[in-house]
Amino acid sequence: MYKTSQDARRWFSWSVAILFEMVGPRGHHGTPWGAPFLFWTVIHAAAYPGCLAADAPNIVFIIADDLGWNDVGFHGSNQIPTPNIDALAYNGIILNSHYAQSTSSPSRAALFTGKYAIKLGMQGSSFLPGEKRSLPEGKLMPEYFKDLGYSTYLVGKWHLGYSRWNETPTFRGFDHHYGFYNGHTSYYDYVGTKTYDGIDYNGFDLRRDGVPSFEDAGHYATDTFTEYSVKVIEEHDTSKPLFLMIAHLAVHAGNTGKLLEAPQDEIDKLRHIEDANRRTYAAMVTKLDESVGTLVEALENKKMLQNTVIAFISDNGAPTVAPHFKNWGSNYPLRGLKNTLFEGGIRSVAFIYSPLLIQSGRVTKDLMHITDWLPTLYSAANGDIANLDPEMDGIDQWPSLVYDLPSPRNDILLNINEKTRNAALRFYNWKLIVGTSMNGTYNEYYGEAVLDVISEVPYNTSAVFNSKAGRVIRQVSYTPLTETEYEQLRAEATVTRLDPKAKKNPCDPASGDVCLYDIPKDPCEENDLAKYFPSVVRRMKRALVEYRKTLVPQLEEAVDIENSSPKLFGFTWNPWLECSNAACTIPV
């Protein structure tokens, strides 16, 4: 009856989609013949088991670096056009309560392991160039997918240690890596600079399976990573599923003196942005958006998109005004920024798209944490969750996402930092913050500043509809969304501050206060309710005490610049603990 298992899956997905239209999600009954249709669908699925035991889907996981909440159109911003990102988000599921860690290395550690950062000693700062710290031993996300028969690729940023070769991506589960080891590099020459004791250390940081890729210098990083990824897709043997993680440099700031870099022709298209730095940042975002559209197009050209899951996240919020790696991003209207536990630092841009999702074209406000991606995608890949590490904190959200069922997650440990003595926890609608980070310097609201330097530009739903991603989606979708539906979803995904006239109770954890917020009603953390709900505060404090028992002390920062200096290795950032000179190459 069916030529391939993909045809069977499409039929089953289409049948269940019709069923959900009649019966309704989350148990709401519709037409009187919904139940008989459900019975018929289940009988048909039993008669043709191939419709359930379909091929493992391809996984494409895109990580934007330091992208702000207010820097994508689907969150209500008119500042930067992101038509391809928006088209995927609208036709997928917008994850409006997705949380990450507040900085890069901890977020990536949580993503790769499915564990809270505190269980890895990774709850502190991100890794620096020439540091001995690395992600602790243990099975990582790409290794789990290799066990399922996937080809695994990492394109772009690693940022989880490289003092020894066995700490680098191709020794931690990836078949291939094309990218950089440190937290950032420059967008054209791929030189990463770090200053220690007043001395600048400069090293080339772009590698192809461990070998420096000097020939790619001069080519814009976002384009370089996109072109490599497209080639991976084009040359992929479709008899095996593909796991492709694209961890962009964009839109992280680069080196001091040239923090922001983008092609001039892209910058010139954004003259409505008066501030030159914000304009360049916006051009960096548009190049990221262009990359997403190109990848979607490549997947469809290879006839892989119908059986692919695309996830998109930012690793943390934007460092709007922070002194280190300020990028002029915006988390408006959320409070705080990167390195803080306010929403602006940890509530990240995120969505998932796939033709395999039965109930798509929606916004979910259910809790999701970056640790959930490993079990969720492993489940999507037909993996047995019982094979995952039992100590994993991530929760399988795949059934909830596919069928719009209630999320199994009701709490998230946002972090505990035993050195700075600050912590935060989400519990159902509540969020508790104890203590502060960065001495409380960046606990306020910083997104408004960018509004003063941008002329109002109407949101262009037609550009979204006719973007590369938008056009491709209409080709593969049984029920593509309309521009009107885009506007409705955009409104639902937009968060707003409380009425300025409303009475509020401000809270500053830097002063020693414990802050409690009802996040669904107060997403911008303006009205502290701790004194009104002391029992909730006590319960959440007890939960933090229990989590504290599982904490592994932070890995101690240990910069070894004397032995890791790039000048010892042909002016490249290179594994050094088992090397002595530039002739030290990746072991076979």
Side-chain angles (χ1 to χ4, degrees), residues 443-489:
N443 287 349
E444 297 308 317
Y445 302 86
Y446 300 96
E448 297 96 326
V450 302
L451 300 180
D452 299 330
V453 295
I454 297 177
S455 301
E456 187 68 19
V457 176
Y459 186 67
N460 191 343
T461 54
S462 295
V464 178
F465 193 75
N466 294 309
S467 65
K468 282 184 180 180
R471 292 195 302 269
V472 168
I473 288 168
R474 290 202 300 279
Q475 293 172 15
V476 302
S477 175
Y478 293 112
T479 55
L481 300 182
T482 65
E483 292 184 40
T484 299
E485 289 172 310
Y486 286 175
E487 289 282 11
Q488 293 169 347
L489 289 168

Side-chain angles (χ1 to χ4, degrees), residues 165 177 181 204 206-215 585-586:
W165 285 113
H177 172 230
Y181 290 159
F204 186 79
L206 180 66
R207 292 175 178 266
R208 191 182 298 263
D209 292 337
V211 179
S213 189
F214 296 112
E215 64 273 17
T585 58
I586 189 166

Side-chain angles (χ1 to χ4, degrees), residues 65-71 79-80 102 251-253 259-260 275 277-278 281 314 316-340 342-347 438 441-454:
D65 200 335
D66 287 3
L67 181 67
W69 182 267
N70 194 46
D71 296 328
Q79 299 172 12
I80 304 174
S102 66
V251 285
H252 196 291
L259 289 174
L260 306 178
D275 182 89
N277 289 310
R278 176 69 177 174
Y281 173 83
S314 179
N316 43 250
T320 302
V321 298
H324 302 297
F325 307 120
K326 173 182 178 180
N327 73 351
W328 284 265
S330 172
N331 303 310
Y332 180 85
L334 302 179
R335 184 178 181 181
L337 39 70
K338 178 180 177 177
N339 267 307
T340 76
F342 286 105
E343 297 289 280
I346 56 176
R347 185 168 172 174
M438 302 177 72
T441 308
Y442 300 107
N443 287 349
E444 297 308 317
Y445 302 86
Y446 300 96
E448 297 96 326
V450 302
L451 300 180
D452 299 330
V453 295
I454 297 177

Side-chain angles (χ1 to χ4, degrees), residues 87-378:
L88 276 186
Y90 293 142
N91 287 278
I93 303 172
I94 297 172
L95 307 171
N96 242 36
S97 294
H98 178 275
Y99 287 88
Q101 302 303 121
S102 66
T103 56
S104 175
S105 295
S107 276
R108 292 163 207 272
L111 172 66
F112 280 127
T113 64
K115 296 181 180 180
Y116 288 140
I118 67 166
K119 291 186 177 180
L120 305 164
M122 294 281 294
Q123 62 271 27
S125 61
S126 287
F127 296 167
L128 300 173
E131 244 199 286
K132 292 182 180 179
R133 284 190 296 171
S134 66
L135 183 63
E137 293 182 1
K139 197 168 185 177
L140 304 185
M141 178 185 278
E143 296 174 282
Y144 282 110
F145 282 92
K146 280 176 70 71
D147 289 347
L148 296 178
Y150 278 74
S151 298
T152 57
Y153 290 80
L154 173 63
V155 182
K157 181 171 176 174
W158 173 237
H159 208 194
L160 289 171
Y162 64 96
S163 62
R164 293 181 172 85
W165 285 113
N166 64 6
E167 297 166 357
T168 59
T170 53
F171 290 84
R172 300 301 305 263
F174 287 104
D175 295 325
H176 299 282
H177 172 230
Y178 176 65
F180 55 104
Y181 290 159
N182 283 308
H184 75 282
T185 187
S186 61
Y187 282 77
Y188 284 102
D189 61 22
Y190 302 100
V191 172
T193 300
K194 182 62 182 176
T195 303
Y196 292 113
D197 297 325
I199 300 173
D200 288 341
Y201 293 85
N202 303 294
F204 186 79
D205 195 7
L206 180 66
R207 292 175 178 266
R208 191 182 298 263
D209 292 337
V211 179
S213 189
F214 296 112
E215 64 273 17
D216 292 323
H219 195 40
Y220 190 63
T222 306
D223 292 337
T224 299
F225 296 144
T226 303
E227 290 165 12
Y228 180 91
S229 300
V230 167
K231 187 175 181 181
V232 167
I233 293 168
E234 291 174 343
E235 297 179 355
H236 179 63
D237 177 1
T238 54
S239 66
K240 295 182 66 176
L242 173 65
F243 179 88
L244 173 60
M245 177 172 286
I246 307 157
H248 277 286
L249 170 61
V251 285
H252 196 291
N255 298 315
T256 302
K258 51 178 179 179
L259 289 174
L260 306 178
E261 296 181 277
Q264 189 61 46
D265 60 336
E266 295 295 329
I267 298 173
D268 291 341
K269 295 175 184 176
L270 300 163
R271 290 295 180 185
H272 66 284
I273 302 177
E274 297 175 15
D275 182 89
N277 289 310
R278 176 69 177 174
R279 189 187 314 134
T280 302
Y281 173 83
M284 294 162 67
V285 176
T286 62
K287 290 298 291 182
L288 175 65
D289 178 77
E290 177 186 290
S291 170
V292 170
T294 300
L295 290 168
V296 172
E297 193 173 57
L299 288 165
E300 176 54 19
N301 289 341
K302 185 71 173 182
K303 303 304 177 186
M304 292 169 59
L305 185 59
Q306 278 283 14
N307 196 37
T308 294
V309 177
I310 300 175
F312 181 101
I313 69 168
S314 179
D315 61 345
N316 43 250
T320 302
V321 298
H324 302 297
F325 307 120
K326 173 182 178 180
N327 73 351
W328 284 265
S330 172
N331 303 310
Y332 180 85
L334 302 179
R335 184 178 181 181
L337 39 70
K338 178 180 177 177
N339 267 307
T340 76
L341 292 179
F342 286 105
E343 297 289 280
I346 56 176
R347 185 168 172 174
S348 77
V349 176
F351 65 81
I352 184 171
Y353 167 83
S354 177
L356 306 177
L357 297 169
I358 306 302
Q359 289 286 288
S360 57
R362 62 188 175 90
V363 178
T364 177
K365 299 177 182 178
D366 289 345
L367 292 179
M368 187 167 185
H369 189 245
I370 195 168
T371 56
D372 295 340
W373 286 111
L374 200 167
T376 296
L377 295 176
Y378 191 78

